[in-house]
Amino acid sequence: MHPKYISIILWLILNLGIVSVGFTQKLYILDNNSPESISLRPYIQVLPDTHAVYTIAQVKIHDSALKYDASNFDNFNHNYVYWGFLTIQTELDYDKLVQFYWHHVGALRLDYLEAWVIESDSIIGYYNFGNLTPESQLIGTQKRCKFNYLIRSEQNEPLLFVFRIKNEMGFKPSFDIHLTTPQFQTDKEWRSMAVHIFYEGLLWIMIVYNLIIFLGYWDKAYLYYSLYIACSAIYSLFFFRILLNSILTEYPFVNPYFWILSLGIGSVFYFQFARYFLDIKRILPHWWDKLIIYFIYLKLALFVFMVVYYTLTFNAQIVDVLVSVGIILETVFGVILIYWLLKTRQKVVYFYMGGSLVLWVGFFTGNFLHMAGIANAQIIGEIGVVGEVLIFSLGLGYRMNQNEVEKRRVKEELILQLEENEKLQLEINTELEGKVKARTAEIMSQQEEIQAQNDEITRANSDLLEAYRHITDSINYARRIQSAILPDVYDFETKLEEFFIFYLPRDVVSGDFYWIKTIDNYLLILVADCTGHGVPGAFLSLLGISFLNEIATSYGNTTTHIQANVVFDELRAKLKHALHQYNTEIGSKDGMDAALCVVNTKTMKMSFAGAHNPLYLVRNGELIEYKGDYMPIGHHLQEKPFTAHMLDILPDDKLYIFSDGFIDQFGGPKDYKYKSKQFKEFLLGIHKLPMHTQQIMLEQEFMNWKGAHKQLDDLLILGFMLPKQVE
C-alpha cells in the first residue's frame, strides 16, 4: 500500500484512540571505540506525515512497521512532513559531548527542522534549528542544521532522538545525519574555511583592483570583469551560508535571492566582458556582437522570471532547474563563441579560452563531486574560478601592455618622421643651392666644361628624383596622420543607429573630411569639401577639424543652445583670420563648402546649415532637399550670416550629406556629369536597404559611371539614421 494511504489510516486510528503500541527501533551503540565521525542514516527510521497532523506525543507510539529505513528510502515528497527516529545506546566510561549535523548537501535543503531527545517516554531536550528559522527563534543551539548533546557515562536507558523536517521551498528533505564531536567537526570546518577565506579574499582583492583600473582608464572591460568576479564571490557567500549566518540571520528567506542573483546574471557580465575585452566588433563578423547582446537579453529575462517566480511561489526547486538550464545554455553558447574566436588567431583569444575552460572544468567537476557527497568537493570549483580569474587578469595585462606598446610605437614613428622631413628639407635646400651656384660659376668661367656640367646635372636630377621619392613618402605618411585625425568609425557606431561613410580621395590625401561630436545632449555631424584637393585641401581640412574642435570645446563649457548656422559663422570667422582674409575685395578664395546637422537627442529636433552643400532627407519614400546658402565658409564678396533650417526627426528617417565629388564626376555612355537629379533618384531606389548595403551600391554605381575616366575630385558621402529619442 502507498505510504500516503497508510498515513491517513494511522491518523484516523490515533484520533479514535483505538490502538497504541510500541515499536522496535534500530540501535546505534556509542562506546569508547566509536569513530570520531559516522553517518547515522543506516540507523534512522522515517515516518511520512502526508497531512502534517502528527505531534511528538503521537509519533512516539507509532508501530515500526509503518516506518522506513532512511538508508533504503529515497521516495521523499517535498510536500510531506517527515519524522526521523534514532535510538542510541551508550556504553561509555566517561561523559562525552557529541554533535549531530547534516551533511553539507542535505543541510542546504532543510527549511524547518526540529529535534526531541526522549528518555523513558519523557522529553529531556528540544531543538529548533532549520534554515528558514530566524536566529532569534532558534532553540537549543545557535547553529542551523547542527546541535550538541552531552551523553553521560551513567546513562543506562537508550536515548530516542526524534527529528521533524518540513520543507516549503520545493526541495526533498534528507536524513543524512552524522555524529561526531564538536572539536573534530570544528577542526574540519576551519580547514575548509581557511581555503575559502583565501579564495574569497582573493576575489574581493581582484574586484577592488579592477575597479580602480576602470576608474583610471574608463575601460569597460575592467568594469564588467569586476562585476563578474563579484557574482562569483556572492555565490560563494551563499553556498557556505555566510550571508545566512551573518547579515541575514533574521531574514533567512532572503538568502536564495543572492543565489539567483549570482548565477542568474553572472553570465551577463561574463559575455559583456568578452565583448569589450576581445573587441568582438572588430575581430568577428558584425552579427556576432548582436547575437551576444540578444543572448544577454535572454539571460536577463530568465533572471527576472526566476526572481518573480520565486517571490510568488517560494518554490526554489523549479528555480534550481531554470538555473541549471541557463548554465548549460551559456556554456554551449560560450563554446561556440570560442570556436569562432579561435579562427581569428588573436593572442588575446587564448587567454579568454584558457580562463573559460579552467572555469568550466572546475565548476562542473566540483558540482558533480559535491552532489555525489564528496567532502570539500567545492574546492575544485573554487580552484576553477581562481584559475579563470588569474588567466583573465593575465589577458587584461597583456591587452593593456599591447595598447601601450602601440601608442609608443605610433608616437615614436611620428616624431622620427617629422625629424626626417625637417632634416631632408634642409639637406635638399643646401645641396641644391650649392650645386646651382657651382654650375653657374663653372659655365661662366669655362665653357669647355659644358659636358662635365651636363654630367653633373644628370647626377643632380638623380638626386632630385630621390628627393621626390622622400617627399612622396612624407605625403603618404601625411595620409596616415590625416586618417588618425579624422573621427574613428567607433564614434559613429556608438552615436548613430545606422550609418555609412563612402570616402574616396582623388589623391593620396584629401580635401574632403567628416566630423562628429557630442556636446551634452547635442550631436553634431559634418561633411566638408575644402578648396582644392591633395595636399592644399588636406591642410585646409586639418585647419577645419582643429577649429571645429575648438568651437566644440567652447560650447562644452556653457549651457547655450547649439545652432548649425552659429557654428558655421564662428568657423568662418576663425578660418578667415587664419588665412588673413581681411580685405573683402582681394582676399584669398580659400575656404570650404560644408553641410552640418546639429541634433538635440532629447527632443529629436535638428538644425541644418549648408555652405553650398544641401541635406537630403528621405521620409516615407519621399526625398526632401534642404538647400544650403550660396556662399562658402571663408571669404565671399556678399557675405551674410548662414541660414538655419529647423526640422523634427522621425523614426526611420534617413539623412544624407555629401561633397560634390559624386555629382560632378564625368562618365556614363555620353560622357556627362552625374548631376543631382540622377543622384536623388538613385538614393530613393536604395534607401530601404541597410546602410552598409547602400554604401556598396553607391560604390558600384560610381565605378560603373566613371569607367575609364579619371576621378575629378575627392568624394565623400555620409548617410545615417539617428538613434531613438532619449527619454
Side-chain angles (χ1 to χ4, degrees):
M1 183 179 294
H2 194 279
K4 176 179 179 181
Y5 302 112
I6 295 176
S7 300
I8 294 173
I9 295 172
L10 188 58
W11 180 80
L12 292 172
I13 293 173
L14 287 170
N15 281 274
L16 293 173
I18 297 175
V19 64
S20 296
V21 295
F23 64 87
T24 302
Q25 175 74 39
K26 285 187 177 181
L27 287 175
Y28 172 69
I29 299 176
L30 179 64
D31 56 24
N32 298 333
N33 298 320
S34 296
E36 287 193 280
S37 181
I38 186 173
S39 174
L40 298 175
R41 187 175 181 182
Y43 303 94
I44 296 176
Q45 291 187 306
V46 178
L47 174 66
D49 185 0
T50 58
H51 291 82
V53 295
Y54 298 158
T55 65
I56 183 62
Q58 293 172 325
V59 299
K60 285 195 304 179
I61 60 174
H62 269 295
D63 194 298
S64 60
L66 302 177
K67 301 174 183 176
Y68 304 89
D69 290 338
S71 58
N72 298 322
F73 183 72
D74 294 321
N75 190 27
F76 287 102
N77 188 313
H78 64 271
N79 293 317
Y80 293 177
V81 172
Y82 288 89
W83 296 79
F85 303 86
L86 169 68
T87 302
I88 296 179
Q89 177 67 55
T90 61
E91 296 181 1
L92 295 169
D93 296 334
Y94 55 90
D95 295 347
K96 184 175 183 179
L97 182 65
V98 297
Q99 183 177 98
F100 295 86
Y101 75 95
W102 264 255
H103 188 270
H104 190 68
V105 177
L108 288 172
R109 299 177 175 182
L110 297 174
D111 296 346
Y112 295 101
L113 177 60
E114 298 175 89
W116 290 265
V117 184
I118 300 173
E119 180 184 11
S120 301
D121 291 332
S122 298
I123 298 175
I124 61 174
Y126 172 71
Y127 304 88
N128 185 4
F129 53 112
N131 284 326
L132 294 185
T133 302
E135 188 176 81
S136 60
Q137 298 178 21
L138 296 177
I139 299 176
T141 179
Q142 293 301 311
K143 301 291 185 180
R144 292 179 170 86
C145 302
K146 66 174 68 174
F147 68 92
N148 298 336
Y149 187 78
L150 179 63
I151 297 181
R152 303 288 185 180
S153 58
E154 64 271 14
Q155 180 75 44
N156 295 320
E157 293 292 327
L159 292 174
L160 174 62
F161 292 84
V162 180
F163 305 95
R164 182 180 185 270
I165 300 176
K166 179 184 179 183
N167 279 359
E168 293 185 350
M169 294 176 61
F171 291 114
K172 294 181 180 181
S174 168
F175 283 96
D176 192 9
I177 307 172
H178 289 244
L179 180 66
T180 184
T181 62
Q183 186 61 46
F184 179 83
Q185 183 65 11
T186 300
D187 293 343
K188 185 172 72 171
E189 289 177 353
W190 270 109
R191 286 193 297 269
S192 175
M193 188 59 66
V195 175
H196 172 67
I197 290 173
F198 170 78
Y199 164 79
E200 193 74 28
L202 176 63
L203 292 188
W204 286 105
I205 289 173
M206 294 302 298
I207 292 169
V208 174
Y209 171 73
N210 284 280
L211 282 176
I212 292 174
I213 296 179
F214 165 70
L215 294 175
Y217 290 89
W218 290 102
D219 187 340
K220 291 183 180 180
Y222 290 94
L223 173 63
Y224 289 118
Y225 184 46
S226 299
L227 294 173
Y228 171 59
I229 301 175
C231 287
S232 298
I234 291 172
Y235 175 75
S236 181
L237 294 175
F238 159 80
F239 186 82
F240 286 93
R241 298 196 292 178
I242 295 175
L243 291 172
L244 180 63
N245 294 324
S246 56
I247 63 176
L248 300 178
T249 55
E250 294 300 319
Y251 309 97
F253 61 89
V254 178
N255 193 44
Y257 285 104
F258 289 91
W259 163 57
I260 299 172
L261 172 70
S262 59
L263 294 182
I265 65 172
S267 60
V268 171
F269 300 130
Y270 170 81
F271 285 111
Q272 282 288 72
F273 164 71
R275 290 182 63 223
Y276 289 95
F277 173 61
L278 300 171
D279 196 2
I280 295 293
K281 287 184 177 180
R282 180 179 62 85
I283 67 175
L284 286 181
H286 190 263
W287 56 266
W288 251 112
D289 186 65
K290 290 186 176 180
L291 185 62
I292 294 175
I293 293 174
Y294 292 149
F295 186 79
I296 289 172
Y297 288 154
L298 174 64
K299 286 290 296 182
L300 288 173
L302 181 61
F303 165 70
V304 172
F305 176 79
M306 289 189 295
V307 171
V308 173
Y309 182 82
Y310 174 73
T311 303
L312 296 177
T313 67
F314 210 55
N315 190 330
Q317 186 181 28
I318 299 299
V319 174
D320 187 41
V321 173
L322 294 175
V323 167
S324 300
V325 171
I327 291 173
I328 293 173
L329 287 176
E330 65 198 43
T331 303
V332 172
F333 186 78
V335 170
I336 297 173
L337 174 61
I338 289 175
Y339 170 76
W340 275 81
L341 288 170
L342 287 174
K343 294 181 179 181
T344 66
R345 299 184 181 277
Q346 299 282 333
K347 289 185 178 180
V348 72
V349 169
Y350 296 105
F351 288 100
Y352 179 75
M353 179 189 70
S356 298
L357 290 180
V358 169
L359 170 69
W360 292 335
V361 171
F363 179 82
F364 287 111
T365 302
N367 276 272
F368 176 78
L369 296 178
H370 174 72
M371 298 306 297
I374 304 300
N376 297 323
Q378 70 278 1
I379 293 177
I380 298 177
E382 292 179 345
I383 292 173
V385 174
V386 171
E388 180 199 39
V389 168
L390 293 178
I391 294 174
F392 279 2
S393 297
L394 291 174
L396 285 168
Y398 171 80
R399 175 172 171 269
M400 179 183 292
N401 181 64
Q402 289 299 108
N403 290 340
E404 292 299 324
V405 169
E406 180 64 18
K407 288 180 181 178
R408 288 197 301 269
R409 185 187 64 78
V410 173
K411 183 178 180 181
E412 290 171 358
E413 284 185 1
L414 180 59
I415 293 173
L416 288 174
Q417 187 64 39
L418 292 174
E419 292 176 349
E420 289 180 3
N421 288 349
E422 184 178 0
K423 182 180 178 181
L424 178 62
Q425 187 65 43
L426 181 60
E427 290 178 353
I428 291 173
N429 291 339
T430 303
E431 184 178 357
L432 290 177
E433 183 179 358
K435 288 181 178 180
V436 170
K437 288 181 179 179
R439 284 199 303 274
T440 302
E442 289 173 3
I443 291 172
M444 293 177 64
S445 63
Q446 299 181 10
Q447 281 195 337
E448 63 271 20
E449 297 180 2
I450 291 177
Q451 184 61 43
Q453 291 293 331
N454 288 336
D455 295 338
E456 183 67 21
I457 290 172
T458 300
R459 288 193 297 271
N461 287 337
S462 177
D463 293 338
L464 287 173
L465 289 174
E466 182 66 15
Y468 175 78
R469 185 182 66 80
H470 283 292
I471 292 172
T472 302
D473 291 343
S474 298
I475 293 175
N476 286 330
Y477 194 79
R479 177 181 61 183
R480 295 176 59 188
I481 294 175
Q482 186 182 42
S483 298
I485 292 176
L486 288 172
D488 191 83
V489 174
Y490 179 77
D491 293 333
F492 290 88
E493 291 177 342
T494 56
K495 297 177 177 64
L496 299 175
E497 182 74 16
E498 284 189 62
F499 76 97
F500 71 80
I501 302 174
F502 181 14
Y503 181 53
L504 187 64
R506 197 199 80 163
D507 301 313
V508 178
V509 290
S510 174
D512 288 2
F513 69 93
Y514 51 90
W515 180 77
I516 187 169
K517 202 74 173 181
T518 299
I519 307 173
D520 291 332
N521 57 306
Y522 287 92
L523 176 62
L524 289 73
I525 307 171
L526 174 138
V527 163
D529 179 1
C530 298
T531 303
H533 43 73
V535 174
F539 278 124
L540 275 177
S541 73
L542 296 180
L543 280 176
I545 293 174
S546 176
F547 290 149
L548 285 168
N549 288 332
E550 288 182 13
I551 294 170
T553 301
S554 67
Y555 277 120
N557 299 323
T558 68
T559 57
T560 306
H561 294 295
I562 303 175
Q563 294 287 349
N565 60 320
V566 178
V567 175
F568 270 9
D569 291 338
E570 295 183 18
L571 178 59
R572 176 170 60 189
K574 288 181 178 290
L575 193 63
K576 288 176 63 178
H577 178 76
L579 298 178
H580 303 289
Q581 296 176 339
Y582 305 120
N583 191 318
T584 59
E585 297 295 328
I586 60 173
S588 69
K589 304 300 183 181
D590 297 323
M592 61 184 71
D593 300 338
L596 173 63
C597 300
V598 178
V599 185
N600 187 323
T601 56
K602 288 186 177 180
T603 63
M604 296 310 290
K605 292 184 179 295
M606 188 180 88
S607 67
F608 164 76
H612 282 144
N613 291 352
L615 162 70
Y616 289 171
L617 167 64
V618 179
R619 176 181 293 167
N620 297 327
E622 179 185 1
L623 189 146
I624 305 170
E625 179 180 1
Y626 296 87
K627 295 182 180 292
D629 294 300
Y630 193 73
M631 58 182 175
I633 299 175
H635 172 67
H636 188 63
L637 292 178
Q638 297 180 355
E639 183 176 308
K640 61 181 181 179
F642 284 96
T643 305
H645 299 270
M646 305 301 299
L647 56 152
D648 293 324
I649 299 301
L650 302 180
D652 298 325
D653 280 355
K654 293 182 172 65
L655 300 99
Y656 303 89
I657 51 179
F658 44 88
S659 67
D660 58 4
F662 195 111
I663 295 172
D664 290 345
Q665 178 62 44
F666 280 94
K670 297 183 179 180
D671 197 20
Y672 289 163
K673 285 186 177 181
Y674 195 89
K675 295 187 178 180
S676 300
K677 179 180 179 182
Q678 188 174 349
F679 185 60
K680 294 176 184 178
E681 292 173 351
F682 188 80
L683 287 180
L684 277 176
I686 65 171
H687 80 277
K688 293 183 179 181
L689 300 174
M691 283 291 179
H692 67 275
T693 307
Q694 292 186 39
Q695 178 178 348
I696 295 173
M697 299 295 290
L698 283 167
E699 291 172 354
Q700 293 175 351
E701 176 70 1
F702 180 79
M703 292 303 174
N704 292 336
W705 179 264
K706 182 172 74 71
H709 290 78
K710 181 180 178 181
Q711 182 176 339
L712 295 181
D713 198 0
D714 300 322
L715 186 154
L716 175 58
I717 303 174
L718 172 58
F720 60 96
M721 292 178 64
L722 291 166
K724 301 297 188 297
Q725 181 175 355
V726 178
E727 296 296 333

